[in-house]
Amino acid sequence: RCRLLCSLLIPALFLSGILCVCLVVLLWGIRLWIQQRKKQFNSAGKDGKRPLLVAFFHPYCNAGGGGERVLWCAIRTLQKKYRNITCVVYTGDKDATGEEIVEGAFRRFNIKLTHPVKFVFLEKRYLVEASLYPHFTLLGQSLGSVFLGWEALLKCAPDIYIDSMGYAFTLPLFKYLGSCRVGCYVHYPTISTDMLSVVRNQDIRFNNAAFITNSPLVSKFKLVYYYFFAFLYGLVGSCSDVVMVNSSWTLNHILSLWRAGACTSVVYPPCDVQAFLDIPLEEEKSAAERSIVSVSQFRPEKDHPLQIRAFAKLLKEKRLVQQPSLKLILIGGCRNHQDEERVKNLKCLCEELGVSNDVMFRINIPFEELKRHLAEATIGLHTMWNEHFGIGVVECMAAGMVILAHNSGGPKLDIVVPYEGHTTGFLAENEDNYAEMMAYILSLSSAKRLEIRENARRSVHRFSDQHFEETFLLSVEPLFK
């Protein structure tokens, strides 16, 4: 038997060795081939020097959310700092031209680029759509992003690659096959220790359905799957040469998963605070109608149903006393058909709760209209559990509203915190909390609300475009050496 095992083991080891060598040779050949394509794609400029290609992987660059504002501010910052660079954006927004996308960035975010941007339009963006993977969504989207990244790499091989949308599984692809220096800006970890605890404790969330929480066996299977995915996520994330995270909450999770503390730093996202600080801040005059405004994309994790239910509860209780009428205005971007369906469902919920006439939806609106709604509102509302940062929260505070955000994540740790010992806003956790806190804020005197609004305004300067530019350039500097 030993002789038989030896006679089988030696050829098996030999064959495995040959296959490994063939794989290494194949990957090395692909790497050399991509380097040749890179030279062909990026020709020398007028001064004879080849510009440095800096590529951003952002398949939904025309979505109009906070992540997109980070993208355009990052590109504008690099264009101002480095002259001999060409910025490239990998996008799947084939329904718009490059000119329309840039114009949209100016219209929505008030960001004007100093130089043209090259757009590489990707055909296989559907591979990262959550709807394609009803089960094992995290793994499916992550593997899909590898194929989408491969398409991007073949169409344009850059010198510096920055994942600005959270597709960490593309990092080793560009680093080892594309021979790029790679960096990433993490808005939200694909998986977090909080997600693991939700499954472990069998809590119901938007990403942990009731049929899973009701079965200990299925919950354990999902927990094993999550741990396996977390291991892979940490592996690919550690490939990055530069890691930027948007908040203290994200930093804690990325450090525990990626273990890349030496190259990780917090870079608060750029919030257009100056545009909102221009709104005059005065003591409120008596009005026949007050508004509560929410600013966030129509995604499931933003928990718009909680906003509507809390608002309905507030109206029900408020009708017992004489107060100005209230409106809830939901402002946000729709990225795709799923988001549009979500808005339809929210409108159905409004009808069900009898508040259709009191809730307004404003979708993909221009910047000036957003500014007007924020200027007129009394309360800024935010309900996402463990929001990674909360640009909408900052904008509400800068515009002069009294903010009511979720007692978790970035709002709790970084934004709605005391400034020089003074209150800057309020936090809540559930439907009853939100209804109670909205009622409390509305019951305050105009002078007291003005004091809170002034404190909040003074605190948001640390989230300005200028502060972002300084910290972003400091963080990405190793990529340009």
Side-chain angles (χ1 to χ4, degrees):
R1 288 181 181 179
C2 290
R3 286 182 181 179
L4 179 62
L5 285 174
C6 289
S7 64
L8 292 173
L9 184 62
I10 293 171
L13 290 173
F14 182 70
L15 183 60
S16 299
I18 291 175
L19 289 174
C20 287
V21 170
C22 289
L23 182 62
V24 170
V25 170
L26 176 64
L27 292 176
W28 187 255
I30 292 172
R31 180 184 169 103
L32 292 175
W33 176 62
I34 290 173
Q35 286 178 335
Q36 286 298 118
R37 287 175 64 90
K38 183 188 296 188
K39 292 176 183 176
Q40 293 169 9
F41 183 85
N42 194 10
S43 55
K46 294 178 181 178
D47 57 358
K49 293 182 179 179
R50 187 176 72 86
L52 205 63
L53 274 184
V54 183
F56 290 83
F57 191 75
H58 210 105
Y60 296 92
C61 73
N62 204 30
E68 286 67 59
R69 190 168 208 287
V70 171
L71 168 70
W72 300 118
C73 277
I75 291 174
R76 182 181 63 183
T77 302
L78 292 180
Q79 287 181 342
K80 285 196 289 187
K81 169 72 173 178
Y82 300 100
R83 293 193 176 184
N84 195 37
I85 67 166
T86 298
C87 289
V88 177
V89 177
Y90 299 120
T91 179
D93 294 303
K94 297 182 294 178
D95 56 342
T97 65
E99 292 77 13
E100 288 170 342
I101 293 173
V102 171
E103 173 58 31
F106 176 67
R107 183 169 53 86
R108 290 170 184 158
F109 306 121
N110 204 27
I111 295 172
K112 194 167 184 67
L113 303 179
T114 54
H115 299 291
V117 172
K118 283 187 178 181
F119 289 90
V120 175
F121 291 94
L122 306 175
E123 301 292 328
K124 297 181 176 62
R125 188 177 71 178
Y126 65 88
L127 291 174
V128 296
E129 292 280 356
S131 58
L132 191 63
Y133 312 99
H135 306 292
F136 300 100
T137 309
L138 293 180
L139 187 60
Q141 284 183 291
S142 297
L143 294 177
S145 72
V146 175
F147 287 100
L148 189 63
W150 176 248
E151 180 191 348
L153 185 58
L154 289 183
K155 287 185 173 179
C156 173
D159 299 294
I160 295 172
Y161 171 80
I162 299 175
D163 164 42
S164 51
M165 207 174 166
Y167 293 108
F169 280 70
T170 62
L171 294 169
L173 181 71
F174 279 82
K175 181 169 186 175
Y176 299 118
L177 289 185
S179 57
C180 309
R181 282 159 279 172
V182 300
C184 60
Y185 188 95
V186 184
H187 299 276
Y188 196 82
T190 306
I191 192 166
S192 65
T193 51
D194 286 338
M195 290 169 68
L196 292 168
S197 67
V198 164
V199 179
R200 192 186 304 113
N201 299 332
Q202 295 180 249
D203 295 334
I204 297 177
R205 295 280 178 179
F206 76 91
N207 57 353
N208 199 41
F211 81 90
I212 294 175
T213 62
N214 293 334
S215 170
L217 182 63
V218 177
S219 289
K220 285 179 182 176
F221 178 78
K222 185 171 182 178
L223 189 61
V224 170
Y225 158 59
Y226 266 21
Y227 272 113
F228 171 69
F229 183 83
F231 170 74
L232 292 179
Y233 184 59
L235 212 59
V236 297
S238 62
C239 295
S240 191
D241 299 309
V242 165
V243 181
M244 294 166 281
V245 298
N246 64 346
S247 69
S248 302
W249 182 86
T250 308
L251 175 69
N252 294 335
H253 287 285
I254 289 298
L255 288 179
S256 66
L257 291 165
W258 290 11
R259 304 189 185 281
C263 61
T264 304
S265 57
V266 176
V267 178
Y268 288 131
C271 307
D272 194 9
V273 294
Q274 193 53 54
F276 297 109
L277 290 172
D278 292 340
I279 298 171
L281 191 62
E282 300 170 351
E283 190 167 335
E284 302 162 10
K285 298 173 183 176
S286 57
E289 181 179 285
R290 296 196 189 279
S291 62
I292 298 169
V293 169
S294 161
V295 182
S296 58
Q297 286 184 317
F298 289 100
R299 304 205 307 259
E301 62 269 25
K302 297 298 182 180
D303 205 353
H304 289 91
L306 174 56
Q307 298 178 3
I308 295 168
R309 289 195 301 268
F311 180 69
K313 178 164 285 203
L314 172 69
L315 285 189
K316 186 178 179 181
E317 295 170 357
K318 236 179 119 300
R319 287 188 180 125
L320 300 174
V321 294
Q322 292 296 319
Q323 286 278 0
S325 64
L326 274 175
K327 289 283 184 188
L328 173 62
I329 304 173
L330 303 179
I331 301 172
C334 279
R335 304 164 298 172
N336 48 38
H337 177 67
Q338 285 80 12
D339 288 357
E340 290 167 4
E341 280 296 315
R342 207 163 282 119
V343 171
K344 287 182 183 177
N345 292 335
L346 291 172
K347 289 179 179 178
C348 289
L349 178 62
C350 291
E351 289 180 12
E352 183 185 320
L353 296 173
V355 293
S356 293
N357 296 330
D358 304 299
V359 180
M360 298 166 60
F361 289 83
R362 292 292 179 264
I363 300 164
N364 297 332
I365 61 173
F367 180 76
E368 286 305 316
E369 186 180 345
L370 167 68
K371 192 173 174 181
R372 178 172 59 80
H373 282 300
L374 298 191
E376 295 170 354
T378 302
I379 297 175
L381 193 60
H382 167 276
T383 49
M384 179 176 168
W385 172 73
N386 271 340
E387 168 76 88
H388 37 91
F389 178 72
I391 288 179
V393 175
V394 174
E395 289 175 346
C396 288
M397 292 167 71
M401 286 182 284
V402 179
I403 190 68
L404 175 57
H406 200 281
N407 189 26
S408 63
K412 178 183 180 179
L413 296 175
D414 294 309
I415 306 173
V416 191
V417 295
Y419 181 73
E420 296 179 351
H422 300 292
T423 301
T424 58
F426 300 92
L427 301 167
E429 291 183 11
N430 54 45
E431 187 179 318
D432 289 332
N433 287 161
Y434 273 98
E436 289 167 10
M437 290 309 303
M438 284 189 281
Y440 173 72
I441 293 167
L442 292 168
S443 72
L444 295 172
S445 66
S446 294
K448 182 60 179 175
R449 279 199 295 265
L450 178 62
E451 181 186 322
I452 295 169
R453 292 157 63 206
E454 287 174 338
N455 294 335
R457 270 201 161 181
R458 284 196 296 271
S459 75
V460 299
H461 287 286
R462 59 212 164 99
F463 308 122
S464 65
D465 284 6
Q466 183 182 352
H467 189 264
F468 169 82
E469 290 181 4
E470 292 169 359
T471 52
F472 178 77
L473 287 174
L474 198 63
S475 297
V476 299
E477 191 176 353
L479 297 177
F480 291 84
K481 287 181 178 177

